[in-house]
Amino acid sequence: MSASELRDEISLPSLTWRSWLVLAAFIVTTVFVIRPLSFRVPLPRPAAIHSLWQHPATETGLGIPRWWYIGVHMDMKLTPWLVILLLLASTAIRFGDEVVHGFVGGNGIEPYSIVILIFALAYICISLDESGLLSYVAVHVTSRWGHDGRVLLLCFYALSCVMAVITNNDVVVLCLTPIICIFSDTTGADAEPFLIAMFIAANTASMALFIGNPTNIIVAEANNVSFLSYSAWMGLPFLGAAVAGIAVLYLTSMRKIPRAIAIDVTIRPRDMLRRFRQAVLGSVVLVSCLIALSVSSFFGVAVWIVTLPFGVAMLLIDAIIDLSTTRAMRTLESAPIPVTLSEPITYADVDTSDIELQCASAASQLAGSLSPTAVAEQPNKARIMYSARLRHRIVHGIHILDMRVPTVSAVLRRLPYGIIPFSLGMFIIVESLSEQGWTPRLAWLLKHMCPSTAAAVFIVGAVTSLACNVLNNLPMAILFSRALQHPIFAQVDDGSRRGAMFALIIGSNVGANFTLVGSLAGLMFQGIASQKKREIGYFTFMRWCAPVMVVQLAVSCAILVAELAVVK
């Protein structure tokens, strides 16, 4: 055994029952992220509610069941934290070690800063979508070049690439999937090749910039890669993958694309632009944010510090425009309407019989409420009434928010809140894998699979692309980022380490083009298409996308190897 191998064996911690439990918990979490499970848990209804409405004619009083059921949805928001609680209860992990370190971060990975960055950028991009600007561009492209199906496929692919570069892949999927389905309904053209082209382009172009995908942010932040440096390294691999993708897709889908399409001229692009001022100002904010990110690379400013002010600025712009618009509408609606009475109303004209009956009924209810049983039930009734009033106030507050600031309310509803518990939970679970000896073993395996720079690029790119479709790309990126940072993998040369890092970014983006479960965008794409009566199955998607993904991965990795050979 060589000295380096002996060093590796000594540095690898031993595996215990805690290690295997944490690994099982990680696998269970990824399974429920990809395939959520819903079920109901029965709980006994509190006795106070039974005594309040008990009635001899029924078993539980006024038809209220003795048991109530809580719906549990094991998905990406709930599953990681249930797993963490189980691991804490079993003493497999400790709160002061894995949980705290997973939340606070270290070695360049700061989970809270990544969440802030994602939400700041998400608000800007979703606000642009709410303004109608993205839909306006998409409908304009359809009406201008939609008469030829093959030309339109190229246009949708190019449009998706551009939109994914300046926003992110999730926004492209949210915006263009419904538009393509509506286009198919109005023209009779098969939506499948256009949907697949849009999805492949969105995932491919999301690797171009730092902000295109949360996995890019995780890997770049972990390795202190600046916005400008990231763009310089990933620009050519993105272009190569984009050209290769459309070439393969065009060849494999020619028979399914109609040559001539009858466009519905009643759908006008300008009808899509709902909020012109937000569209213009949002574009200015987004471009300014990208410029600021490029400039910040020279000053070493954290990326989340740069993006947060622009996200807040977009929020304030939306709120100010909404308030000014709704205030003008309320002024018009509250204009007084003159009312004249033809004859004065006198006391003799009022029928008081109904009032007297209501007073007598209220007096009898008051007398009954003074009985000992009723007095004992008053606290329970008051508590329930308070809860009902509280719910009413919350609903009323949300309604007021929708009326006063409709754009802000719509954007806030669409923000990816699920990524907060999911990403923070996965950071903690991956930290637990590291503490229990699994991440060092993955680092050891990658070290021995990467004897050279070219091998590191192609092997890490292939492994991470496949791992995307087993673990989903976000937890995969967290796990492999930790492994590439481990001291065991740090023993490889600088070229191999840099190549493995950028190959991880390529794999986390291109790998999502292999199956629908490769990324959260894929799951969202399948859900939206299903709502629009477009069922794209797992194997149908794989049949379309697997050839494209393989060629894209090979081309982008080859370009990255060439870059590493030129830039030592």
Side-chain angles (χ1 to χ4, degrees):
M1 183 179 290
S2 66
S4 63
E5 291 176 343
L6 180 61
R7 231 181 7 256
D8 289 346
E9 294 294 337
I10 293 174
S11 62
L12 288 176
S14 59
L15 298 178
T16 64
W17 66 269
R18 291 183 174 87
S19 305
W20 293 102
L21 184 59
V22 170
L23 179 62
F26 178 77
I27 295 173
V28 168
T29 302
T30 55
V31 168
F32 283 121
V33 167
I34 295 172
R35 285 288 180 264
L37 176 66
S38 298
F39 56 90
R40 296 197 305 168
V41 177
L43 293 176
R45 195 174 290 274
I49 298 180
H50 285 300
S51 62
L52 180 61
W53 279 293
Q54 192 67 32
H55 192 275
T58 61
E59 179 187 2
T60 59
L62 297 181
I64 299 175
R66 291 189 180 277
W67 296 84
W68 63 349
Y69 294 87
I70 296 179
V72 178
H73 193 55
M74 298 289 291
D75 59 359
M76 70 178 200
K77 298 185 286 293
L78 180 62
T79 304
W81 290 96
L82 285 181
V83 167
I84 291 170
L85 291 177
L86 291 175
L87 292 176
L88 286 172
S90 65
T91 69
I93 64 174
R94 294 176 295 275
F95 183 83
D97 293 333
E98 289 90 345
V99 177
V100 174
H101 292 163
F103 180 79
V104 177
N107 297 326
I109 298 180
E110 297 176 341
Y112 63 89
S113 65
I114 292 173
V115 171
I116 293 173
L117 174 60
I118 291 173
F119 269 74
L121 293 171
Y123 188 92
I124 298 173
C125 297
I126 295 174
S127 177
L128 271 179
D129 188 29
E130 283 293 325
S131 70
L133 177 63
L134 303 182
S135 300
Y136 168 82
V137 174
V139 174
H140 180 75
V141 169
T142 303
S143 59
R144 177 66 178 82
W145 290 284
H147 299 281
D148 189 324
R150 296 178 182 179
V151 173
L152 183 61
L153 183 75
L154 296 174
C155 291
F156 268 127
Y157 190 90
L159 176 63
S160 302
C161 283
V162 173
M163 289 174 60
V165 168
I166 63 176
T167 58
N168 59 56
N169 57 343
D170 293 336
V171 172
V172 176
V173 170
L174 283 170
C175 174
L176 292 188
T177 304
I179 291 176
I180 293 175
C181 292
I182 294 173
F183 159 78
S184 173
D185 291 336
T186 56
T187 61
D190 187 4
E192 201 168 272
F194 300 100
L195 289 173
I196 296 296
M198 176 271 298
F199 186 80
I200 291 175
N203 280 329
T204 305
S206 62
M207 79 167 80
L209 293 184
F210 187 100
I211 63 175
N213 197 323
T215 59
N216 305 348
I217 298 170
I218 291 170
V219 179
E221 287 283 297
N223 294 277
N224 296 318
V225 179
S226 66
F227 180 87
L228 203 58
S229 176
Y230 178 97
S231 304
W233 279 101
M234 295 305 299
L236 288 179
F238 148 65
L239 290 176
V243 173
I246 188 56
V248 176
L249 185 64
Y250 192 78
L251 292 175
T252 57
S253 62
M254 286 180 61
R255 289 178 296 178
K256 297 198 68 174
I257 303 174
R259 291 290 299 177
I261 299 177
I263 298 298
D264 186 1
V265 296
T266 61
I267 302 178
R268 298 176 300 177
R270 64 173 177 268
D271 295 336
M272 300 291 105
L273 198 59
R274 299 183 295 272
R275 300 178 177 94
F276 179 76
R277 288 183 293 178
Q278 273 106 328
V280 174
L281 294 176
S283 302
V284 172
V285 169
L286 180 60
V287 172
S288 302
C289 181
L290 296 177
I291 295 174
L293 286 171
S294 302
V295 174
S296 68
S297 304
F298 299 101
F299 300 98
V301 183
V303 178
W304 72 272
I305 296 177
V306 177
T307 55
L308 181 59
F310 288 97
V312 174
M314 193 71 244
L315 173 65
L316 294 176
I317 289 172
D318 288 340
I320 292 172
I321 294 177
D322 282 349
L323 288 173
S324 63
T325 304
T326 54
R327 184 181 295 112
M329 293 175 61
R330 290 199 308 272
T331 302
L332 293 175
E333 292 174 356
S334 61
I337 301 176
V339 178
T340 57
L341 297 176
S342 57
E343 296 181 2
I345 299 177
T346 62
Y347 179 77
D349 297 327
V350 179
D351 185 7
T352 61
S353 58
D354 290 341
I355 299 177
E356 293 172 356
L357 289 175
Q358 293 175 8
C359 291
S361 175
S364 63
Q365 291 178 6
L366 179 61
S369 66
L370 297 178
S371 63
T373 303
V375 171
E377 294 172 352
Q378 287 303 316
N380 293 328
K381 185 177 293 186
R383 192 180 304 115
I384 294 173
M385 294 299 294
Y386 173 78
S387 176
R389 286 197 299 269
L390 181 62
R391 288 195 298 269
H392 173 72
R393 289 174 181 174
I394 293 174
V395 172
H396 182 67
I398 295 174
H399 177 70
I400 293 297
L401 183 68
D402 292 339
M403 296 295 294
R404 299 287 178 85
V405 282
T407 304
V408 174
S409 177
V411 175
L412 292 179
R413 290 177 189 273
R414 291 179 56 186
L415 286 176
Y417 297 106
I419 205 172
I420 298 178
F422 175 61
S423 59
L424 295 180
M426 291 307 300
F427 275 118
I428 295 172
I429 295 175
V430 170
E431 181 69 22
S432 304
L433 289 173
S434 180
E435 291 291 331
Q436 298 302 327
W438 290 110
T439 305
R441 280 169 169 76
L442 178 59
W444 179 90
L445 182 63
L446 291 174
K447 174 182 178 294
H448 288 276
M449 293 171 64
C450 302
S452 64
T453 300
V457 171
F458 280 99
I459 291 175
V460 172
V463 169
T464 54
S465 296
L466 294 176
C468 276
N469 300 278
V470 178
L471 306 178
N472 191 269
N473 64 347
L474 189 56
M476 183 280 300
I478 298 172
L479 178 61
F480 276 78
S481 294
R482 289 292 193 190
L484 296 182
Q485 286 183 308
H486 199 274
I488 292 178
F489 189 81
Q491 297 173 12
V492 303
D493 61 274
D494 291 339
S496 298
R497 191 163 58 249
R498 180 181 293 175
M501 177 192 66
F502 285 114
L504 170 57
I505 295 173
I506 292 174
S508 67
N509 288 272
V510 176
N513 287 335
F514 187 52
T515 66
L516 285 167
V517 300
S519 66
L520 298 178
L523 301 175
M524 182 171 57
F525 167 75
Q526 186 183 35
I528 298 174
S530 179
Q531 292 174 3
K532 299 295 182 181
K533 311 301 182 186
R534 300 297 190 284
E535 299 294 338
I536 300 178
Y538 186 90
F539 292 103
T540 301
F541 184 89
M542 185 184 296
R543 188 173 62 252
W544 275 99
C545 298
V548 178
M549 190 276 288
V550 172
V551 176
Q552 284 185 319
L553 181 64
V555 170
S556 56
C557 287
I559 294 174
L560 179 59
V561 170
E563 288 181 333
L564 291 167
V566 173
V567 183
K568 294 293 187 180

